[in-house]
Amino acid sequence: DSDTRETHRSMAVQETDPRSTPSSALEFDVIVIGAGMSGLYQLYRLRELGLRVRVLEAGTGVGGTWYWNRYPGCRFDSESYSYGFSFSQEVLDEWDWSEHFAGQPEGERDCNIVADKFDLKRDIQFSSRVVFAHFDEENHSWTIGVEEGESFEPA
């Protein structure tokens, strides 16, 4: 309803990193939804551009598909090398896939190694399931809300 949307719009963005004061307000240039392989890549690239980025992730860890899907036999449907993080030659040189079509644990492990190597987790807000995204036509911007009631608006 409109009252709920207005309440969400008026809420401040809160930092959830335990290393900082929980009540410190932050502003972001970009909100990325999901900390899977694409979300990690986006965070890395947007940071390179000097943008203030927050990734909202429903889970408690990175990896997307490789975090969520843990059924027996879960593995890549393409050759493992095609899932490599090609934005970093260093990562490509260091990583040696154990199988031609790697399994879920290796995909998830790769995501964590990359997230740790580039300190990506400091800009990821875990346990934050997105429940709404409203586009403001007049300002050409989005307001994003998470299950916990927090909302994110353009800076």
Side-chain angles (χ1 to χ4, degrees):
D1 72 74
S2 63
D3 289 336
T4 302
R5 282 193 300 270
E6 193 56 40
T7 300
H8 286 298
R9 275 193 256 279
S10 66
M11 295 173 71
V13 175
Q14 300 293 313
E15 170 63 71
T16 59
D17 187 335
R19 295 172 290 185
S20 66
T21 306
S23 61
S24 63
L26 290 180
E27 295 179 340
F28 302 104
D29 298 307
V30 179
I31 299 292
V32 174
I33 300 172
M37 290 184 149
S38 295
L40 295 175
Y41 171 75
Q42 286 299 309
L43 173 55
Y44 178 86
R45 283 291 187 217
L46 292 165
R47 267 193 195 167
E48 276 191 326
L49 296 172
L51 297 172
R52 297 165 299 173
V53 184
R54 171 63 87 212
V55 177
L56 302 176
E57 169 57 47
T60 59
V62 300
T65 295
W66 311 114
Y67 169 84
W68 292 105
N69 293 336
R70 297 165 186 267
Y71 56 85
C74 181
R75 63 184 48 253
F76 293 168
D77 60 355
S78 300
E79 294 178 270
S80 299
Y81 76 85
S82 68
Y83 284 89
F85 287 96
S86 61
F87 64 82
S88 168
Q89 188 61 48
E90 181 182 0
V91 168
L92 289 175
D93 291 344
E94 289 173 358
W95 194 258
D96 189 25
W97 295 102
S98 66
E99 298 179 76
H100 205 62
F101 294 89
Q104 177 276 335
E106 193 168 4
E108 183 180 13
R109 188 170 47 250
D110 184 37
C111 289
N112 275 287
I113 287 170
V114 168
D116 292 341
K117 182 176 198 67
F118 297 105
D119 193 25
L120 299 177
K121 291 178 183 175
R122 71 179 157 92
D123 292 320
I124 301 172
Q125 185 170 312
F126 295 100
S127 300
S128 295
R129 182 175 305 280
V130 172
V131 293
F132 74 82
H134 298 292
F135 185 68
D136 180 341
E137 300 243 356
E138 187 176 319
N139 295 314
H140 304 306
S141 63
W142 291 90
T143 300
I144 310 296
V146 296
E147 206 167 53
E148 297 77 22
E150 191 173 18
S151 69
F152 301 83
E153 299 178 26

